Amino acid sequence: MYLEKLEVQGFKSFANKNLLRFPGMMDKIKRGITAVVGPNGSGKSNVADAVRWALGEQSMKTLRGKKGEDVIFSGSDKKGQLGMAEVSLFLNNEDKQAPVDYSKIIITRRLFRNGESEYMINNNRARLSDIQMLLAKSKFGQKTYSVIGQGMVEGFLNTSLSERKEFFDEATGVKQYQIKRDDSLNKLRNSYENLVQAKMLISEIEPRLKSLTRQVNKLKKRNEIEKELKEKQTVYYRVLWQGINQKFTKHNNEFLELEKIKFDKEKKLERLNRQLNELEKTSQETRELPINQEKLAKIQQEKNTLNTRLAKLEAQTEIKLEASGQFDLSFLISRQSDLDKKITKISEEINDQNASINISREKTKELERSRETINKKIKTLNEQLRHSNKDNKNFSNLHQRLNQVVKNLNAVHKYEDINKLKNSIKKIEKEISELLLLAESLGIGQEELIDFSEIQVATEKAAIEKDEILSRIKKNDLRITAISERVKFLNEKIIEFKTEKAKIKEKINRQDKAIDMNEIQKKQNALHKKIEQINNKEQTIKIKIKELNREDENARNNLFKIQRELSAMQQEINTVNNKLNEIKINSTRYEAKLENLEEEIREELDSLKNIKNSKITDEIDEDAHKDKINSLKRQLEMIGGIDPEIENEYNETKERFDFLSGQINDFGAAIDSLQKIIKELDGSIKERFDKEFNKIATNFEKYFKILFKGGGAKIAKVMETMKDKDNKNKIESEDTEKKEDANLDDLKKIKFLQKHNATGLAGVEIQATPPGKKIKTVTMLSGGERALTAIALICAIISSNPSPFVVLDEVDAALDEANSERLASILDELSHKTQFIVITHNRASMRKANILYGITMGNNGVSKLLSIKLDEAKDVSKT
């Protein structure tokens, strides 16, 4: 496995998208060296930070920042800040060093300025833990030697023994096993805790289960008695219910038959209402009358215009006559005109009055027909009254009092004061009660009395209606007489005016005329002719309007007729309603009994299903059945009340008990399996650690001698002492207060295992003795010696357990030229095991590089990338 590409966008000074390509396998042996160079402050170390960040680094101190958003390009004077940073590592996995089915692996980390972040593997979202496990299996040292930055070289030597131990977990390649071991320990702890909880629960449930078992046995006996009781009650209540229900059904059938009659009458009532609505709608939709009225108004306006012209002509004539001294002739002509107007006006009034007479006569005929209908109705009702109760001795007194009640009822609607209305209703109710008692003493049934009362009310209403019709006929006749006298008077007036007009005309003809009247007369005659024509039209329209008014009156009469029929039909429906109420009252008693019985049955049997739906007709001794039922109830009382849900609780508790028992077995099996896994992992970790540690120790001494040209160095394991184990084996104070048992001991053991790794190391000690010196501890070394010692250790780790690639960020900064040359040679030698990305100022390292990247920064604060393939450049230079 090796790194093919590094893609950076928005990360620190790399505002724009930059792509760094790295050499892969060269000559099938070497993996190549890439050098990244540039002046101080150009952002070249940001390449190492980008790789470290993409591999999951969480420490902002290590990334040379204070908070997460510091890794996003913050902007400059000439370029605004960005909202996102993204780094992607493109790994070649053709050798399947990473245990996945992909030959190419892309690890991406992305951070937004609002704090949202995400990790991706091959463009699919992933967890940080997934990436860490993948890196551990691929021999990446996330926190140690895969990315080695400035200060980390010397800082490593200053770390504590325990901190170096974590470094060597990654260096020896046991980190992936440590992750699995920690995960298994967490699962083991959870399993022990769940096991303790399950045992505590089952110890609480077991006593309750025993108690529930005893109660369930009692419940079975109670159920047997309840079953027998239910059978007895079913038979007993079925007999009672069927007897009452038969009587109730009989009354319901009578009620339904009468309801059918009422329904038929209501249909007739609905039909009459429909006819009434149609008449009202037709009356509203009629437009012929207003149209003719509009025509009349226009003709009258035209007539007024002609009359105005005629008056103007006559006025002009009078002025001319008076100007010529013919005052008498002027007066005669004016008087003639006045007479013409009066004759015309009186003629119009005569026509109007004659039309009114015709309408009134038609109305009288209709009223006469209505009177005949009412007379027939009254005759029929009187016959019914005579035949009703004619054999009762005191019937006349009852009849008189009933008439008075009817009058009082008719007068009720006149009261506006609510108190008077209430008092009147109370008096009527009292009178009706007394009449009912009197009728009962006379042997008159309630239905018969109601029928008689209804006939009496109908008779009274018919008589009132007849009086109203007679009054209207009388008023109409008086109106016709008055109008006829008026017409006679108007005809006499016309004769009088025509006589006077003839005399005036004769005088006018005898007068000597100073002016020619022929032309004026012609104009007047023309206007009179037009006015006469308009008068004829006006009269025709007026006649039409009167006819329409008469038709409208007839429609109103039909409307009134239907309204009267509606009232009569409503009265018949009210009579049927009274009879329905009587039947309902008689059946209510049985309905109430049935409801009470059904309520009792529901309380005893919870359902009416077996009572109402049964076709069985039982014959039983009701008293004996009742005694048996009471005896069974007493037995149930002796057993006592047991919650019917107790069986459900027993089943639930039993199911819970069985479930917990199974859980305990499962947890036990899981604990055994996890303990076996942990033991195997501990063996693998120790075996691999020891093996790799020895390799690193050998190579450390080798590279130390190369870098120092002699001397000696070694690394040594510092094991935990028994005292340390005893101190770390103490459990927190709250745990010691708990009840000690085997499970708590196991938890203590797990806590101990979680605090200590499988190797049993307390730390790692480093010893280094440069040539010609006697010191052994690294604290006594100079700065340059410390740097060379750390580099020797790193080279030893890379040689023993190579990472797919290693990033070295100016680790050679403290070396002189000779040591730099030696380091460059070592890196060239190790490039067949791993891929190197070296950030450097050193010429020796540059000379060993296959690809050289230059980093520059312009005045906009953005790092730019330049590249050159040195192998190709050498070939070009030779030519």
Side-chain angles (χ1 to χ4, degrees):
M1 174 182 281
Y2 59 89
L3 179 64
E4 289 185 342
K5 293 184 292 183
L6 171 65
E7 188 174 274
V8 185
Q9 182 177 3
F11 183 85
K12 289 195 173 183
S13 60
F14 289 96
N16 302 321
K17 187 174 183 180
N18 287 271
L19 183 65
L20 287 81
R21 298 180 182 275
F22 304 105
M25 296 297 293
M26 303 176 65
D27 301 329
K28 297 183 180 181
I29 299 175
K30 297 176 65 176
R31 296 175 182 264
I33 299 174
T34 301
V36 180
V37 300
N40 291 333
S42 62
K44 60 182 181 296
S45 290
N46 291 339
V47 174
D49 289 342
V51 175
R52 185 182 287 110
W53 187 69
L55 292 176
E57 179 61 59
Q58 301 297 305
S59 171
M60 289 308 302
K61 182 178 179 181
T62 303
L63 294 171
R64 299 179 298 158
K66 293 182 179 180
K67 51 187 178 179
E69 65 182 35
D70 288 346
V71 303
I72 304 174
F73 181 73
S74 59
S76 63
D77 294 339
K78 296 184 178 181
K79 187 174 181 64
Q81 69 176 10
L82 299 181
M84 180 194 76
E86 179 179 317
V87 177
S88 295
L89 301 177
F90 294 77
L91 300 171
N92 185 300
N93 189 40
E94 292 178 355
D95 59 358
K96 301 300 179 182
Q97 183 170 339
V100 292
D101 294 333
Y102 300 105
S103 59
K104 305 288 184 180
I105 298 176
I106 305 173
I107 297 175
T108 303
R109 185 176 182 181
R110 186 179 296 148
L111 176 67
F112 297 90
R113 195 168 289 279
N114 62 4
E116 294 182 7
S117 64
E118 58 185 1
Y119 293 90
M120 290 187 290
I121 298 176
N122 286 1
N123 297 322
N124 295 315
R125 295 196 66 164
R127 298 172 300 175
L128 175 59
S129 60
D130 297 332
I131 291 178
Q132 289 175 339
M133 192 63 189
L134 178 66
L135 295 175
K137 291 180 178 179
S138 304
K139 297 184 180 180
F140 275 97
Q142 178 198 355
K143 295 184 179 180
T144 53
Y145 62 92
S146 288
V147 182
I148 301 171
Q150 300 179 43
M152 289 182 65
V153 174
E154 185 175 350
F156 170 71
L157 299 179
N158 296 329
T159 56
S160 64
L161 297 179
S162 60
E163 288 173 332
R164 292 176 190 165
K165 178 184 67 176
E166 184 178 355
F167 179 90
F168 276 91
D169 285 342
E170 290 187 353
T172 56
V174 298
K175 189 65 178 179
Q176 58 175 311
Y177 303 109
Q178 290 283 12
I179 293 173
K180 291 181 180 179
R181 181 178 185 272
D182 292 340
D183 184 53
S184 298
L185 281 169
N186 288 331
K187 290 179 181 179
L188 182 62
R189 182 185 180 91
N190 292 334
S191 296
Y192 271 120
E193 290 174 350
N194 291 333
L195 179 63
V196 171
Q197 186 68 22
K199 287 184 176 180
M200 290 174 63
L201 289 174
I202 205 167
S203 64
E204 294 173 0
I205 292 173
E206 192 170 9
R208 178 59 179 163
L209 181 61
K210 292 179 181 179
S211 174
L212 290 172
T213 303
R214 291 192 298 269
Q215 293 184 61
V216 166
N217 291 333
K218 289 176 67 177
L219 185 61
K220 288 180 180 178
K221 183 178 180 182
R222 180 184 177 90
N223 289 341
E224 293 174 359
I225 297 174
E226 285 180 340
K227 182 179 179 182
E228 183 181 1
L229 175 62
K230 187 173 182 180
E231 291 174 353
K232 294 291 183 183
Q233 285 178 323
T234 300
V235 175
Y236 174 74
Y237 284 121
R238 185 162 57 222
V239 171
L240 292 182
W241 187 86
Q242 287 176 348
I244 298 174
N245 186 60
Q246 287 174 359
K247 296 176 182 178
F248 177 67
T249 303
K250 177 182 177 182
H251 285 84
N252 275 346
N253 291 336
E254 294 175 0
F255 186 86
L256 291 174
E257 290 176 3
L258 200 55
E259 274 281 351
K260 186 178 180 182
I261 296 172
K262 177 186 174 182
F263 177 74
D264 293 337
K265 292 183 179 295
E266 286 177 341
K267 284 183 69 176
K268 293 179 182 177
L269 182 69
E270 184 180 354
R271 186 176 66 254
L272 290 172
N273 275 319
R274 192 161 51 249
Q275 292 176 0
L276 180 64
N277 291 334
E278 289 174 356
L279 282 175
E280 291 176 345
K281 185 177 180 182
T282 303
S283 175
Q284 293 174 358
E285 293 178 352
T286 301
R287 295 288 302 160
E288 192 173 356
L289 180 59
I291 291 172
N292 282 278
Q293 289 174 339
E294 186 177 352
K295 288 180 180 178
L296 178 62
K298 289 182 179 179
I299 289 173
Q300 287 175 342
Q301 184 178 2
E302 186 178 356
K303 178 182 173 182
N304 291 335
T305 302
L306 292 173
N307 283 328
T308 301
R309 291 173 59 190
L310 182 60
K312 185 177 180 181
L313 182 62
E314 290 173 350
Q316 291 174 352
T317 304
E318 287 178 9
I319 291 170
K320 289 180 180 180
L321 289 172
E322 289 174 359
S324 64
Q326 295 177 319
F327 293 99
D328 292 339
L329 183 59
S330 173
F331 170 75
L332 291 172
I333 291 172
S334 177
R335 178 59 179 167
Q336 186 182 30
S337 177
D338 289 340
L339 290 173
D340 286 336
K341 292 177 181 177
K342 289 181 179 179
I343 290 170
T344 300
K345 185 175 181 181
I346 292 171
S347 297
E348 290 175 356
E349 186 177 353
I350 289 172
N351 291 332
D352 291 340
Q353 296 294 350
N354 285 332
S356 297
I357 290 172
N358 291 333
I359 291 172
S360 297
R361 285 173 179 166
E362 289 292 331
K363 190 178 291 184
T364 300
K365 291 179 182 179
E366 291 178 6
L367 290 171
E368 288 290 346
R369 288 193 291 270
S370 298
R371 184 176 66 177
E372 289 298 322
T373 302
I374 291 295
N375 284 335
K376 291 179 181 178
K377 184 176 181 180
I378 291 173
K379 184 178 179 180
T380 302
L381 291 170
N382 286 329
E383 286 293 328
Q384 293 177 357
L385 286 173
R386 281 195 295 271
H387 289 292
S388 299
N389 300 305
K390 59 184 178 180
D391 295 331
N392 295 312
K393 295 179 180 180
N394 297 320
F395 181 72
S396 58
N397 179 30
L398 181 64
H399 181 256
Q400 291 174 0
R401 292 180 66 181
L402 191 58
N403 284 337
Q404 187 60 43
V405 170
V406 172
K407 289 179 181 179
N408 292 338
L409 284 171
N410 291 330
V412 165
H413 70 277
K414 297 179 181 179
Y415 293 120
E416 296 182 357
D417 188 351
I418 190 66
N419 293 323
K420 289 183 178 180
L421 180 62
K422 290 180 178 179
N423 292 331
S424 178
I425 291 173
K426 288 181 180 178
K427 291 179 180 179
I428 292 171
E429 289 176 346
K430 182 179 179 183
E431 186 67 21
I432 290 173
S433 299
E434 294 176 355
L435 286 175
L436 290 173
L437 292 173
L438 178 59
E440 186 176 354
S441 66
L442 296 174
I444 302 173
Q446 186 175 350
E447 293 182 3
E448 188 177 3
L449 182 61
I450 291 172
D451 292 340
F452 176 78
S453 176
E454 291 173 353
I455 295 170
Q456 182 65 24
V457 170
T459 304
E460 290 290 335
K461 286 187 177 181
I464 292 170
E465 190 175 353
K466 178 181 177 182
D467 291 341
E468 290 177 354
I469 291 172
L470 290 174
S471 176
R472 290 170 64 188
I473 291 173
K474 186 176 181 180
K475 288 179 181 179
N476 218 38
D477 289 342
L478 289 173
R479 186 170 181 273
I480 291 171
T481 301
I483 295 173
S484 298
E485 289 296 324
R486 176 66 178 169
V487 170
K488 182 178 179 182
F489 171 75
L490 292 174
N491 283 326
E492 291 174 355
K493 276 288 184 182
I494 286 178
I495 293 170
E496 181 183 342
F497 290 150
K498 285 183 177 181
T499 302
E500 184 180 358
K501 182 181 177 184
K503 290 178 181 180
I504 290 172
K505 186 175 183 181
E506 186 179 350
K507 288 179 181 181
I508 291 172
N509 292 333
R510 292 199 301 267
Q511 289 283 342
D512 293 332
K513 302 174 184 176
I515 60 176
D516 187 6
M517 295 296 293
N518 291 330
E519 186 66 28
I520 295 173
Q521 193 70 38
K522 287 180 182 179
K523 292 180 180 180
Q524 287 178 334
N525 290 338
L527 290 172
H528 279 300
K529 187 175 181 180
K530 288 182 179 180
I531 291 172
E532 184 178 359
Q533 291 174 351
I534 289 174
N535 284 337
N536 292 334
K537 290 181 181 179
E538 181 182 16
Q539 190 62 31
T540 302
I541 292 174
K542 283 185 176 180
I543 292 171
K544 180 66 174 177
I545 288 173
K546 288 176 182 178
E547 289 177 355
L548 291 171
N549 283 327
R550 185 167 61 254
E551 291 175 1
D552 188 54
E553 182 68 21
N554 290 335
R556 283 198 297 273
N557 290 335
N558 290 335
L559 192 67
F560 295 147
K561 180 181 178 182
I562 292 175
Q563 288 175 339
R564 288 193 297 272
E565 292 178 359
L566 276 170
S567 178
M569 183 57 65
Q570 186 63 55
Q571 187 175 355
E572 292 179 12
I573 291 173
N574 291 339
T575 302
V576 174
N577 281 331
N578 291 334
K579 291 181 180 178
L580 284 170
N581 289 334
E582 182 183 356
I583 295 173
K584 193 170 184 179
I585 290 170
N586 291 332
S587 65
T588 299
R589 294 191 299 272
Y590 294 105
E591 184 179 11
K593 288 182 179 179
L594 200 61
E595 287 178 354
N596 292 335
L597 178 62
E598 288 178 352
E599 183 64 28
E600 182 180 348
I601 293 171
R602 289 190 189 96
E603 291 178 0
E604 295 291 337
L605 300 177
D606 297 328
S607 173
L608 292 170
K609 183 178 180 181
N610 295 330
I611 304 298
K612 297 175 72 172
N613 297 337
S614 176
K615 296 181 180 179
I616 301 172
T617 302
D618 301 288
E619 293 182 3
I620 62 168
D621 184 342
E622 293 183 13
D623 293 336
H625 255 72
K626 186 66 176 177
D627 292 340
K628 182 62 176 177
I629 288 170
N630 291 332
S631 174
L632 292 171
K633 286 183 176 181
R634 285 193 296 272
Q635 292 180 46
L636 289 175
E637 290 176 359
M638 291 176 65
I639 292 174
I642 300 177
D643 188 353
E645 292 296 321
I646 202 72
E647 188 171 2
N648 291 335
E649 185 181 354
Y650 167 79
N651 291 332
E652 291 174 1
T653 305
K654 183 69 166 61
E655 183 179 356
R656 181 67 173 160
F657 182 86
D658 294 341
F659 172 76
L660 288 172
S661 299
Q663 286 284 294
I664 290 171
N665 294 332
D666 292 342
F667 288 139
I671 289 170
D672 292 340
S673 176
L674 288 168
Q675 287 177 338
K676 183 178 179 181
I677 291 172
I678 292 169
K679 185 176 181 181
E680 291 174 355
L681 286 171
D682 284 346
S684 299
I685 290 170
K686 191 173 187 316
E687 181 182 357
R688 183 179 180 88
F689 184 87
D690 291 342
K691 179 180 178 182
E692 296 298 328
F693 187 85
N694 292 332
K695 284 184 181 180
I696 293 171
T698 301
N699 287 323
F700 176 46
E701 186 173 8
K702 169 187 172 183
Y703 289 111
F704 183 87
K705 289 180 178 181
I706 293 173
L707 289 171
F708 281 91
K709 291 187 175 181
K714 66 177 180 177
I715 54 174
K717 292 187 282 187
V718 179
M719 307 303 293
E720 290 182 333
T721 63
M722 290 304 298
K723 183 178 179 181
D724 294 332
K725 293 182 179 180
D726 291 340
N727 290 333
K728 293 178 180 179
N729 199 25
K730 290 181 180 178
I731 306 301
E732 289 79 359
S733 60
E734 60 268 21
D735 287 340
T736 59
E737 295 175 1
K738 296 179 182 178
K739 184 179 178 180
E740 295 292 329
D741 58 18
N743 293 320
L744 289 179
D745 290 338
D746 289 333
L747 288 174
K748 291 178 182 180
K749 180 180 178 182
I750 294 169
K751 288 182 179 180
F752 173 78
L753 290 173
Q754 286 178 322
K755 290 182 178 181
H756 302 277
N757 58 32
T759 59
L761 289 180
V764 175
E765 184 180 3
I766 301 175
Q767 297 177 358
T769 306
K773 296 185 179 181
K774 294 183 178 181
I775 58 175
K776 291 186 178 181
T777 59
V778 293
T779 56
M780 300 295 294
L781 298 175
S782 66
E785 291 172 338
R786 290 158 63 89
L788 284 174
T789 301
I791 291 172
L793 181 58
I794 291 168
C795 291
I797 292 171
I798 294 172
S799 177
S800 302
N801 188 25
S803 175
F805 66 85
V806 175
V807 180
L808 302 176
D809 183 11
E810 296 193 39
V811 297
D812 54 2
L815 303 182
D816 56 21
E817 186 174 354
N819 286 325
S820 297
E821 289 287 351
R822 285 195 288 273
L823 175 60
S825 297
I826 292 172
L827 294 180
D828 185 49
E829 176 189 340
L830 292 175
S831 64
H832 73 282
K833 292 185 176 182
T834 188
Q835 179 184 29
F836 285 104
I837 300 167
V838 182
I839 299 170
T840 183
H841 289 287
N842 198 296
R843 296 177 184 178
S845 298
M846 295 181 197
R847 285 195 294 268
K848 295 295 184 180
N850 304 102
I851 295 178
L852 184 67
Y853 280 102
I855 305 295
T856 63
M857 180 178 290
N859 56 7
N860 60 355
V862 177
S863 296
K864 294 182 180 179
L865 188 66
L866 301 173
S867 65
I868 182 172
K869 293 183 179 180
L870 297 178
D871 292 340
E872 295 178 3
K874 290 177 182 178
D875 295 337
V876 171
S877 65
K878 290 179 180 178
T879 59

